[in-house]
């Protein structure tokens, strides 16, 4: 989880954003530089990565209370069953309220 000091920095640098269903919330560069918490709504994450069977476009649905960034498709930073891909798009499946903050401002 997030340490106390990092959480305090998130609270100071956070921005509330609102998205209508169908709007792109973030992709590629945004996901590398920003963290997101879904406060309300459902977010659809689509990656064009190829799995071990050669299938494309993994889709994951995230709901209120879930966090997402570039590594949401990973477990402990290791991609599981997917080739490296920088093509990830997060779109509001329903109207969404998102808390966004800069990952670059956190001292990891």
């Amino acid at each position: 989880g997030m340490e106390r000091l990092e959480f305090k920095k998130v609270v100071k640098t956070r921005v509330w954003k609102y998205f209508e269903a169908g709007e792109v919330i973030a992709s590629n560069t945004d996901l590398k530089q920003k963290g997101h918490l879904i406060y309300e709504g459902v977010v659809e994450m689509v990656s064009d990565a190829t799995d071990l069977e050669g299938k494309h476009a993994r889709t994951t649905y995230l709901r209120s209370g879930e966090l997402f960034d570039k590594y949401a498709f990973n477990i402990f930073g290791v991609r599981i069953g997917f080739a490296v891909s920088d093509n990830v798009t997060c779109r509001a499946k329903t109207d969404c309220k998102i808390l966004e903050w800069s990952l670059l401002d956190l001292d990891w």
Side-chain angles (χ1 to χ4, degrees):
M2 190 178 295
E3 298 295 327
R4 257 186 126 112
L5 181 59
E6 291 162 338
F7 182 74
K8 287 181 182 180
K9 288 183 180 184
V10 165
V11 169
K12 288 181 184 178
T13 63
R14 54 94 173 110
V15 176
W16 286 106
K17 294 199 170 184
Y18 302 88
F19 298 90
E20 292 183 10
E23 280 188 85
V24 172
I25 296 170
S27 60
N28 303 330
T29 303
D30 287 336
L31 291 170
K32 291 178 186 175
Q33 297 177 353
K34 297 175 185 174
H36 303 83
L37 170 67
I38 305 166
Y39 186 77
E40 292 175 354
V42 177
V43 172
E44 176 184 61
M45 276 184 104
V46 179
S47 169
D48 72 352
T50 305
D51 67 15
L52 296 175
E53 297 174 359
K55 296 178 184 173
H56 297 280
R58 177 180 180 200
T59 301
T60 301
Y61 294 96
L62 305 171
R63 291 165 173 63
S64 299
E66 293 188 272
L67 296 164
F68 66 94
D69 63 19
K70 177 65 178 170
Y71 303 102
F73 284 115
N74 301 338
I75 297 175
F76 303 112
V78 177
R79 292 180 187 274
I80 306 298
F82 289 87
V84 175
S85 172
D86 284 332
N87 297 316
V88 177
T89 302
C90 297
R91 186 179 311 275
K93 188 73 175 165
T94 64
D95 291 351
C96 292
K97 182 177 180 181
I98 305 288
L99 182 66
E100 180 183 278
W101 65 92
S102 170
L103 296 173
L104 303 175
D105 291 340
L106 302 178
D107 298 326
W108 295 97

